[in-house]
Amino acid sequence: MTKPIPSHIQFPKDFLWGCATSAYQIEGSPLADGAGPSTWHRFSHTPGRVQDGDNADITCDHYRRYDSDVDLMRSLGLKSYRFSIAWGRVLPEGTGRVNAAGLDFYERLVDKLLSRGIQPMVTLFHWDLPAALDDRGGWLNRDIAHWFAEYADIVFRRLDDRVQYWTTLNEPWVVADGGYMHGILAPGHRNVFEAPRAAHHLMMAHGAAVQAYRASGRNKIGLVVNIEPKYPASQSEADLAATRRAEAYMNRQYLDPALLGSYPKELLEVFGDAWPHWPDADLKLIKQPIDYVGVNYYTRAVVRAEPNAWPLGSTTVKQKHHTHMETGWEVFPQGLTDTLLWVKEKYGNPPVYITENGACFFDPPQVEGPVLEDPLRVDYLRKHITAVHDAIQRGADIRGYFAWSLFDNFEWAFGFSKRFGLVHMNYETLKRTLKSSAHFYSKVIASNGAALAE
Ligand code: FCB
């Protein structure tokens, strides 16, 4: 089933190897030094929203330990580190008054990274919207495009002299689908009429921030999307149509407007009456030239038509005898090659970074000894990074790869129950312990891929 690993692998020179995290998931101290609360702070402090009542008040305590954490990154040989900025640390009310201490924190982090030879890749929005903006309608208010551009501009002007890689949004689909369609993520709405509006305003915010960047920035800016390739369960007309709808909803709803300037027509079938008619000027704003596409890949879906299933009229068929992660996601490395080739074909081979890829398997809460063995994660990384290499061999313009995640961390509605880290976190003592996947990844980086074949 899985392909053999070729005996000699080398990635392109200057391939950017990194790890990724996000602010709310690892920082802790969410209200420190004048920061304003986020929707995720509120959500996790609302009983019943997050598994086991967990919240990220402490999580990895990275806000206070960033200095030694960067030394740890250096010891792994990371060339780049992808993290996000908490909007509410910079602008506690979301717009207007700048909180100097918040911006200073990210400046110290960037400077520390550079002093250790690590290139920062900075995401401006990884889901923690200032609560004050949620009170003004959040992603349902069209003005959010301006609010976001105002915030982005402040950060660009402070850090663009040192940050080479910027990202506007992380995974807008998850915000619209989890936050506004199904209500399982912040802000917890369940409303089919809101979801397409939230999605559209996210994309307008992306466009407005890229525009702001062109006015003052000199480096690279992109958009990060999660792509889950969809495979039909059979060749029946019904399954093929269901697969097209699923692909339009999750994968094309974001990349099509950003790169092609239009929405897939299947969205009308998906949303029906709830799909608004958007003015052309909005699509013009959304389609700004970007420097790269960030692709987050975890799994695939095999799609079967199911007329009564809301909202897509389809279900995902579980591949019974395949390995699944603790989240229930199937392990399917070929899907990463297919995804990268799909982006290449459909969008004209843009430069791509795999901005997230990783796996959660059970690891114990406490570790004894210097290393935690995590063979399933090592296997996942080996096969997926090899799948990236395959796509490069087949002509895809892939510039870098970021493992999700550096640490075990606060996994959103799953709380601390799911561990994705290459570095184990003991949440009682906050001790960091390398897993064997961290050692493995470190060797892959040092050998520019050759260690995949060992
Ligand atoms: C992605 C998110 C990231 C993390 C991983 C497991 O959807 O971007 O924050 O939760 O999934």
Side-chain angles (χ1 to χ4, degrees):
M1 172 80 221
T2 38
K3 291 191 182 166
I5 309 279
S7 61
H8 189 70
I9 298 185
Q10 269 300 293
F11 277 73
K13 192 171 144 289
D14 301 328
F15 193 76
L16 201 63
W17 297 101
C19 277
T21 65
S22 89
Y24 190 72
Q25 293 181 275
I26 67 162
E27 285 178 357
S29 311
L31 305 180
D33 302 327
S38 70
T39 48
W40 266 97
H41 182 72
R42 282 186 177 172
F43 193 75
S44 63
H45 281 267
T46 304
R49 291 301 209 171
V50 173
Q51 192 169 329
D52 305 323
D54 289 339
N55 61 57
D57 288 359
I58 299 173
T59 182
C60 306
D61 197 29
H62 172 76
Y63 186 74
R64 300 193 307 158
R65 297 170 193 239
Y66 75 92
D67 196 80
S68 48
D69 284 343
V70 175
D71 290 336
L72 177 75
M73 295 175 209
R74 162 82 202 167
S75 74
L76 295 176
L78 299 190
K79 307 245 182 279
S80 183
Y81 172 54
R82 173 174 180 254
F83 66 93
S84 76
I85 292 187
W87 185 342
R89 289 200 195 277
V90 178
L91 291 153
E93 290 88 34
T95 58
R97 186 178 59 89
V98 175
N99 176 42
L103 211 40
D104 289 351
F105 167 70
Y106 294 107
E107 179 166 69
R108 288 196 301 277
L109 175 58
V110 164
D111 287 345
K112 172 76 190 192
L113 287 163
L114 293 173
S115 78
R116 293 293 178 271
I118 301 172
Q119 288 297 328
M121 178 182 273
V122 180
T123 304
L124 291 163
F125 177 71
H126 199 128
W127 309 356
D128 44 357
L129 186 73
L133 294 183
D134 195 48
D135 292 339
R136 295 161 71 186
W139 291 109
L140 299 174
N141 187 331
R142 274 178 78 82
D143 290 345
I144 199 160
H146 307 295
W147 304 338
F148 186 61
E150 175 189 332
Y151 151 62
D153 191 52
I154 291 165
V155 179
F156 296 148
R157 287 180 193 275
R158 179 70 167 265
L159 295 175
D160 192 57
D161 59 343
R162 283 156 283 176
V163 171
Q164 298 284 327
Y165 305 95
W166 294 97
T167 295
T168 53
L169 311 174
N170 177 72
E171 300 189 353
W173 176 80
V174 175
V175 179
D177 180 75
Y180 291 88
M181 185 86 140
H182 295 291
I184 55 161
L185 302 174
H189 302 193
R190 182 179 164 80
N191 187 326
V192 67
F193 292 88
E194 290 183 357
R197 286 171 58 203
H200 184 70
H201 296 155
L202 278 152
M203 294 312 293
M204 286 175 65
H206 157 76
V210 175
Q211 254 183 1
Y213 188 68
R214 298 304 174 206
S216 69
R218 289 171 315 175
N219 300 311
K220 293 189 164 56
I221 190 160
L223 169 71
V224 169
V225 291
N226 54 301
I227 306 277
E228 188 182 285
K230 309 294 181 186
Y231 301 82
S234 79
Q235 291 302 311
S236 73
E237 236 341 286
D239 285 352
L240 292 172
T243 305
R244 283 195 296 272
R245 285 195 301 276
E247 181 181 272
Y249 176 63
M250 189 163 176
N251 302 337
R252 293 178 53 205
Q253 187 174 353
Y254 303 89
L255 282 183
D256 276 22
L259 300 176
L260 309 176
S262 60
Y263 282 113
K265 62 176 179 1
E266 288 83 356
L267 291 179
L268 197 58
E269 295 166 39
V270 172
F271 288 108
D273 285 358
W275 181 251
H277 177 73
W278 300 115
D280 290 346
D282 290 4
L283 282 145
K284 249 177 116 180
L285 170 65
I286 294 171
K287 189 193 168 208
Q288 299 294 321
I290 53 175
D291 302 303
Y292 68 91
V293 175
V295 170
N296 294 354
Y297 174 85
Y298 290 92
T299 188
R300 66 143 169 192
V302 176
V303 179
R304 191 175 59 214
E306 189 77 62
N308 295 327
W310 183 85
L312 291 172
S314 64
T315 51
T316 296
V317 186
K318 184 163 180 183
Q319 304 302 297
K320 236 179 163 175
H321 301 293
H322 292 188
T323 305
H324 289 75
M325 303 178 206
E326 288 257 296
T327 45
W329 303 344
E330 182 194 345
V331 173
F332 191 66
Q334 177 65 40
L336 180 49
T337 311
D338 292 349
T339 291
L340 297 171
L341 294 175
W342 179 81
V343 171
K344 167 179 179 271
E345 295 307 324
K346 189 151 178 46
Y347 301 104
N349 206 13
V352 166
Y353 293 84
I354 292 101
T355 34
E356 287 179 28
N357 174 239
C360 65
F361 294 111
F362 175 80
D363 294 312
Q366 333 283 345
V367 182
E368 281 154 36
V371 182
L372 174 68
E373 296 296 332
D374 61 339
L376 289 176
R377 194 172 288 100
V378 171
D379 190 57
Y380 183 98
L381 290 178
R382 189 193 297 280
K383 290 186 175 137
H384 284 76
I385 299 172
T386 305
V388 175
H389 190 257
D390 273 5
I392 296 175
Q393 299 287 86
R394 291 161 70 179
D397 185 4
I398 315 296
R399 309 278 178 98
Y401 172 93
F402 292 76
W404 183 273
S405 183
L406 178 63
F407 301 124
D408 295 332
N409 60 44
F410 177 81
E411 182 46 43
W412 308 112
F414 290 120
F416 296 108
S417 68
K418 303 283 177 278
R419 293 177 179 270
F420 277 90
L422 306 191
V423 178
H424 178 272
M425 188 64 52
N426 179 323
Y427 292 111
E428 281 177 356
T429 61
L430 297 172
K431 181 165 179 283
R432 283 98 163 109
T433 304
L434 299 193
K435 303 183 192 176
S436 46
S437 55
H439 288 291
F440 171 72
Y441 188 47
S442 186
K443 280 197 247 157
V444 170
I445 297 174
S447 62
N448 205 25
L452 291 165
E454 281 167 14

